Amino acid sequence: MNRASKIFWPMLVKPKDAVIKQTEQLSRSQKLLTELGLIKSGSNGTYQIMPIAQRSLDKCINLVQQNMVEAGGQKITLPVLTSTALWKKSGRLEGDISEFYMVRDRSGKQFLMSPTHEEAVTAMLATAAPISYRQLPLRLYQIGPKFRDELKSRFGMMRAKEFLMKDMYTFDLSQETAKDTYDIITKAYDRFFQQLEVPFVKVNAETGIMGGSLSHEYHYISSVGEDTLVKCESCGFAGNAEVFHQSSNCPNCQKADNLSQVHGVEVAHTFLLGDKYSKPLGATFLNTSGKPQSLIMGCYGIGLSRVLAASLEVLSTDQELRWPKLLAPYDVCVIGPKQGSKEQTLAERVEYNLLEHLGDICGSDEVLHDDRKDLTIGKRLLDGKRLGHPFIIVAGAKSVLPEDPRLELHSSDGNKMELNLNEALQMVNQYVSQKKHLINIRMSTKEEEQTNRQQKVGHTL
């Protein structure tokens, strides 16, 4: 059982009459996460993640991994440092590299603190033993830090210099099978964002420095978003304004004068790359004739720390955090009587009985026991509401009434109910069932058939 008194939770305490000078524009999520002690600024553009927020981030990681494995992904780990020689071969070192961190080792060799790993993973494939067409498609993913020297790092983890990313790199034998892979992985991305239940848009995008022939971005709509999107009010089609800046008609339904502009926070990006990297870096496979042929690539990124911050930005109020169901650090917080109160002895029996039942329903790791009994129930309840626990259940004076004992249940949507024990447990049980339903969203039959077809291609060619 998680005990609030033992959690490292360095909340900012402001004197009542203090006047705080604001030196920069803060996003809602950045302000709340910092004030509540869930993140701390390490330096300009970097953040230290405290235990409660780390729980949420770990849940995000696990959910992404579930989707990547279901889509045929295999997990790897690549070094943070990538030789600049590889970026010279791909031609990307000749472009704008002002956002990249460069370091040298003691012998003078230069490396990038990788903002992305296309060159590194392609070079790894190029130096591996000859790959047979029977081994394709390959879908390799990793989860780790990325680095970009943002000119204007702001809005907390939504635009940081160091961030956590899931990046996948896929290798196919033809443009056709690479497009099948692209469809499978983007469907897995669709599923992941649907599981989070945060409204998102998937837009056509420019390929930019990454290159390739096809690209999509996933955005959360927010006033602090730095991308301008064009959205059709008739059919729901959306695109990056950079792509459709000259268009007055919807490219999808062709209706005129029905396009509106909104701001988006980019949380994921997918690319169909072709042989842009495999050709210059010599990554090949042996075809049915036993001859080497360039691998056809795709790459797929999700900014995990950005997803966490941006989802809170969209869902939260100005004063209280709101979490996606599957990312909430805890399902329920239990608050018992204050130390020394007249109902303490009897109410604590109710409190510990409640904790035992909740452990059976949620699993004890999903329950937070706010055992800081030197604080009033009101103070602990205020902290719990600001932290955005899906449910807070209070075992106070009303829980020991002889005729009709009641627990006080507060839900994160602002509702307050007085329920008996069984009714409160039923509410939590329904919530846990909803979470299980979201976790168990699977690939459609069509996607499964597409995956099976690709696997058969590798064995029958």
Side-chain angles (χ1 to χ4, degrees):
M1 191 74 65
N2 302 284
R3 296 168 57 192
S5 63
K6 300 298 183 184
I7 295 173
F8 183 53
W9 180 13
M11 294 179 68
L12 292 181
V13 179
K14 297 178 184 176
K16 287 184 179 179
D17 300 325
V19 177
I20 307 297
K21 276 194 173 182
Q22 204 63 54
T23 57
E24 62 172 322
Q25 181 184 359
L26 298 180
S27 63
R28 180 189 296 125
S29 59
Q30 179 185 7
K31 178 177 178 290
L32 288 171
L33 287 169
T34 303
E35 287 181 355
L36 291 168
L38 305 193
I39 65 172
K40 290 177 67 65
S41 176
S43 59
N44 180 29
T46 67
Y47 289 88
Q48 302 156 346
I49 300 174
M50 301 298 105
I52 292 176
Q54 186 65 51
R55 286 178 60 89
S56 181
L57 187 57
D58 287 344
K59 289 182 178 184
C60 188
I61 291 169
N62 291 337
L63 189 61
V64 166
Q65 290 198 140
Q66 173 191 302
N67 281 288
M68 292 302 96
V69 169
E70 192 169 329
Q74 302 178 62
K75 191 175 183 181
I76 61 172
T77 299
L78 297 169
V80 166
L81 298 178
T82 299
S83 170
T84 54
L86 296 178
W87 281 59
K88 286 178 182 176
K89 282 187 179 180
S90 70
R92 284 210 288 182
L93 209 62
E94 298 169 5
D96 181 8
I97 58 172
S98 59
E99 285 190 352
F100 301 156
Y101 287 101
M102 302 280 196
V103 297
R104 293 181 184 273
D105 66 14
R106 64 186 67 194
S107 68
K109 290 182 180 177
Q110 196 170 40
F111 296 85
L112 283 159
M113 293 181 68
S114 300
T116 183
H117 275 89
E118 283 75 20
E119 285 82 357
V121 72
T122 308
M124 180 185 77
L125 269 282
T127 56
I131 297 170
S132 167
Y133 65 88
R134 292 187 177 89
Q135 294 174 267
L136 302 176
L138 275 178
R139 298 166 187 167
L140 307 176
Y141 79 94
Q142 64 171 349
I143 292 174
K146 295 290 188 289
F147 303 87
R148 292 177 189 168
D149 188 8
E150 295 279 6
L151 181 62
K152 293 181 179 179
S153 56
R154 54 181 177 169
F155 303 142
M157 294 192 297
M158 284 194 291
R159 194 170 181 85
K161 295 188 176 185
E162 179 181 347
F163 52 95
L164 189 69
M165 179 181 276
K166 188 288 305 178
D167 43 329
M168 172 179 270
Y169 305 93
T170 61
F171 302 87
D172 278 271
L173 53 83
S174 70
Q175 291 285 355
E176 181 183 5
T177 59
K179 180 59 171 62
D180 281 346
T181 288
Y182 187 87
D183 291 341
I184 288 168
I185 305 304
T186 53
K187 290 294 183 186
Y189 272 40
D190 294 347
R191 191 164 56 252
F192 167 70
F193 285 109
Q194 288 163 4
Q195 288 172 318
L196 295 184
E197 298 185 295
V198 182
F200 72 95
V201 292
K202 177 182 178 181
V203 304
N204 297 78
E206 288 189 334
T207 55
I209 188 174
M210 300 294 290
S213 59
L214 182 63
S215 177
H216 288 91
E217 295 171 349
Y218 291 76
H219 287 264
Y220 287 152
I221 304 302
S222 170
S223 60
V224 300
E226 297 185 312
D227 288 290
T228 302
L229 310 177
V230 176
K231 188 175 181 181
C232 178
E233 302 301 330
S234 296
C235 69
F237 175 86
N240 196 304
E242 293 177 355
V243 180
F244 301 109
H245 57 88
Q246 298 291 339
S247 180
S248 58
N249 293 357
C250 173
N252 185 50
C253 68
Q254 303 304 320
K255 289 191 177 179
D257 302 321
N258 219 12
L259 299 177
S260 62
Q261 289 194 346
V262 294
H263 291 287
V265 178
E266 182 190 328
V267 287
H269 209 149
T270 61
F271 300 87
L272 189 57
L273 298 171
D275 61 4
K276 173 179 169 62
Y277 298 93
S278 56
K279 198 166 185 179
L281 291 166
T284 61
F285 70 97
L286 298 180
N287 61 22
T288 54
S289 303
K291 294 182 179 179
Q293 187 174 324
S294 292
L295 288 159
I296 305 300
M297 289 181 60
C299 69
Y300 311 83
I302 297 178
L304 298 178
S305 49
R306 183 178 286 191
V307 164
L308 177 60
S311 63
L312 292 172
E313 186 69 28
V314 172
L315 298 178
S316 299
T317 70
D318 287 338
Q319 298 300 322
E320 299 176 357
L321 290 172
R322 295 287 182 270
W323 305 85
K325 282 189 185 72
L326 297 184
L327 301 190
Y330 309 96
D331 287 344
V332 59
C333 172
V334 173
I335 297 174
K338 188 180 187 301
Q339 187 74 33
S341 61
K342 62 182 180 180
E343 69 272 8
Q344 181 182 358
T345 302
L346 292 177
E348 281 185 344
R349 293 178 189 173
V350 177
E351 176 186 9
Y352 285 98
N353 184 38
L354 173 63
L355 287 167
E356 185 176 349
H357 281 89
L358 288 172
D360 292 337
I361 294 172
C362 307
S364 59
D365 193 47
E366 292 297 330
V367 179
L368 176 65
H369 182 200
D370 195 337
D371 59 341
R372 301 173 298 161
K373 296 197 173 183
D374 56 313
L375 301 178
T376 65
I377 287 178
K379 167 58 178 167
R380 285 177 283 162
L381 182 59
L382 178 62
D383 287 346
K385 286 182 174 181
R386 294 202 74 204
L387 283 170
H389 301 303
F391 292 109
I392 304 169
I393 304 179
V394 178
K398 291 184 179 180
S399 71
V400 296
L401 293 175
E403 293 184 359
D404 189 21
R406 293 276 154 171
L407 297 167
E408 204 174 90
L409 185 145
H410 300 259
S411 59
S412 58
D413 59 8
N415 286 328
K416 173 187 172 182
M417 293 164 274
E418 291 186 356
L419 307 171
N420 64 36
L421 176 62
N422 288 333
E423 290 169 337
L425 294 175
Q426 187 177 8
M427 291 281 293
V428 176
N429 192 52
Q430 289 173 354
Y431 178 82
V432 172
S433 296
Q434 291 169 1
K435 284 180 59 180
K436 288 178 180 177
H437 173 73
L438 291 171
I439 290 170
N440 290 325
I441 292 174
R442 297 297 181 190
M443 279 196 283
S444 67
T445 303
K446 183 178 179 182
E447 290 172 273
E448 290 174 349
E449 289 174 352
Q450 202 169 37
T451 302
N452 292 335
R453 185 172 74 249
Q454 283 198 321
Q455 291 172 346
K456 288 178 182 177
V457 166
H459 288 91
T460 58
L461 280 177

